[in-house]
Amino acid sequence: MRVKVIAGVAAVAVVGSVAGIAVAQSGGPDDRDRATVVRVIDGDTIDAEVNGDVERVRLLNVDTPENKHPEKAVQCLGPEATDFLEDLLAPGDRIELVYDVERTDRYDRTLAGVYKDESLVNADIAEAGLGVAVLYEPNDRFYQEVLDAQARAVEAGEGLHDPQVECTLPALADALPPLEELPAEIPADAAGVAAALAAAAPVIAAGEALGSALDLVASGSHVVLAKAYSASAPEWRKRVDAALPAAVAYQQDLTDRGAELKRAAEKKAAEEKAAAEKKAAEEKAAAEKKAAEEKAAAERKAEAEQRAEAKAEADRKADEARREAARKAEAEVERKAPPERSRQRQQAPAQPSSPPRRQQAPSSGYGTDADFPGYTGPRCYAPGGRSWRPC
């Protein structure tokens, strides 16, 4: 039969309980009793009514993974072993208990082979791959039959020997080919390194889980684990010991290469950033210098224009002042001129028939009436108003 996987059951929990050391002895190996099933406790223990009393019965020469142990976690296929036994032995089913040399163990459980419809239930559990054959002397009456059933389960790949059941060692052993086939070449680029690390990590983790499970097999402290895989474990251990260190070294090489590439990328990025910042600073300084020069030129131009305007305004005011002074001087001369001369000027013809011959003007350009005989046009007076010249 094939069994389902119970989610969350750890692979390394492929262990079983050890039957308690038998202490009480019976009269002989052929003793047997009729009984009625009361309930199933776990994969290898039931309660049965025997001769009017309810007894706790531990099936001889078979051990199943833990399911309800108060101090142990649920183990791989422990719930399935219990379910299997519940399907075989329903409450009220009639069974036969066959005893061996010792009838009870240290926990006062009855030790027996359980038969239903002439089939040994102890062996049925092992043939389903949900239990392993165990031998605790002197009770060996059912050991060979259970061991043969276990061999059939191994050959058929049932239960604990099914590689499709995630928590079994055969399932973990499927990690060996990928582990052995990890490449040794380290990619040259960061993306390749990251991809190789991502691919290697789960393969190495699976190999490490298999190694841990094999350690439990080798320890012999877990009966189900040791008995179920004792034949295959040495070859698996050999392969794990060869492949796992090489895979871990490859993973470390990938990690180192990734760190090296990261440092190189960070250095390049820092250099590019520094170059970009330097270029930006130079461009900013050049722009600021150009703006400052343009501003200074504009200020100089404005100052020059202001000076030119100021000079033009000053010149204009000076000209106005000179003309005003000349007008005042002329007016003063007119005011002081003798009345007769003034009348003569007024009676003189506006336009003489022919201009009088002008005498040579003094070198200063200014003179008196005698220097400009017959001139009746406008006069420009020298400072002080004593001399004048034609305007």
Side-chain angles (χ1 to χ4, degrees):
M1 64 172 288
R2 297 290 176 184
V3 293
K4 62 184 179 179
V5 179
I6 299 298
V9 179
V12 296
V14 194
V15 296
S17 61
V18 180
I21 299 175
V23 291
Q25 295 191 1
S26 65
D30 294 329
D31 291 348
R32 62 187 64 216
D33 282 314
R34 295 286 181 179
T36 302
V37 175
V38 175
R39 62 179 173 273
V40 170
I41 304 303
D42 58 23
D44 51 32
T45 308
I46 66 171
D47 283 346
E49 183 180 344
V50 185
N51 299 323
D53 295 324
V54 176
E55 297 181 10
R56 179 67 49 90
V57 180
R58 175 66 168 82
L59 279 64
L60 275 172
N61 300 127
V62 68
D63 203 1
T64 61
E66 292 292 349
N67 181 30
K68 298 179 180 180
H69 196 286
E71 298 178 357
K72 296 181 180 179
V74 174
Q75 297 169 350
C76 181
L77 297 184
E80 285 80 0
T82 300
D83 292 344
F84 179 80
L85 192 56
E86 287 176 341
D87 289 341
L88 283 179
L89 304 178
D93 284 354
R94 297 292 292 172
I95 58 174
E96 186 177 21
L97 304 182
V98 180
Y99 308 113
D100 203 346
V101 177
E102 295 174 338
R103 290 280 296 269
T104 59
D105 64 10
R106 64 193 298 181
Y107 305 109
D108 201 30
R109 295 179 299 184
T110 297
L111 303 176
V114 177
Y115 285 87
K116 179 184 178 184
D117 301 329
E118 299 183 356
S119 178
L120 179 61
V121 174
N122 310 44
D124 293 338
I125 295 170
E127 190 163 1
L130 298 172
V132 294
V134 292
L135 177 61
Y136 300 105
E137 296 289 359
N139 290 337
D140 61 0
R141 183 171 185 174
F142 310 103
Y143 177 69
Q144 190 59 50
E145 188 172 351
V146 174
L147 187 62
D148 292 343
Q150 178 181 330
R152 291 192 294 274
V154 172
E155 184 177 357
E158 296 287 352
L160 292 166
H161 313 285
D162 185 354
Q164 300 302 314
V165 179
E166 292 179 358
C167 63
T168 65
L169 255 71
L172 290 179
D174 285 345
L176 280 170
L179 189 70
E180 294 166 334
E181 295 166 7
L182 281 177
E185 183 178 355
I186 306 298
D189 62 302
V193 169
L197 276 171
V203 174
I204 293 173
E208 291 173 340
L210 176 59
S212 298
L214 291 172
D215 290 341
L216 292 176
V217 172
S219 72
S221 59
H222 301 283
V223 175
V224 173
L225 194 67
K227 296 294 183 180
Y229 306 116
S230 59
S232 303
E235 177 61 23
W236 289 339
R237 169 55 68 187
K238 180 180 178 181
R239 292 173 65 184
V240 167
D241 289 348
L244 187 57
V248 172
Y250 170 67
Q251 185 181 46
Q252 185 60 52
D253 290 342
L254 287 172
T255 301
D256 294 342
R257 178 58 176 162
E260 179 184 345
L261 291 171
K262 181 180 179 181
R263 289 192 297 270
E266 289 174 347
K267 180 180 179 182
K268 181 180 179 181
E271 291 174 349
E272 291 176 348
K273 180 180 179 182
E277 290 176 347
K278 180 180 179 182
K279 181 179 179 181
E282 290 174 348
E283 291 176 349
K284 180 180 179 182
E288 291 176 347
K289 180 180 179 182
K290 181 179 179 181
E293 290 174 349
E294 291 176 349
K295 180 180 179 181
E299 290 175 348
R300 288 194 299 271
K301 180 179 179 181
E303 290 175 357
E305 291 176 350
Q306 290 176 356
R307 287 195 298 270
E309 291 176 357
K311 184 176 182 302
E313 180 66 16
D315 291 345
R316 184 185 65 77
K317 290 181 178 181
D319 287 344
E320 288 182 353
R322 285 194 296 270
R323 286 194 292 271
E324 180 64 22
R327 285 194 296 271
K328 289 181 178 180
E330 183 178 2
E332 182 64 21
V333 170
E334 287 292 331
R335 186 180 65 79
K336 294 180 177 181
E340 182 62 29
R341 182 178 298 176
S342 177
R343 283 194 302 270
Q344 289 177 354
R345 279 201 306 273
Q346 293 174 0
Q347 294 175 358
Q351 295 293 335
S353 58
S354 60
R357 186 167 57 91
R358 180 179 297 179
Q359 295 183 359
Q360 183 68 35
S363 60
S364 64
Y366 291 90
T368 63
D369 292 344
D371 295 319
F372 305 101
Y375 178 75
T376 60
R379 301 181 181 187
C380 290
Y381 288 87
R386 295 180 179 274
S387 59
W388 60 274
R389 62 177 176 79
C391 291

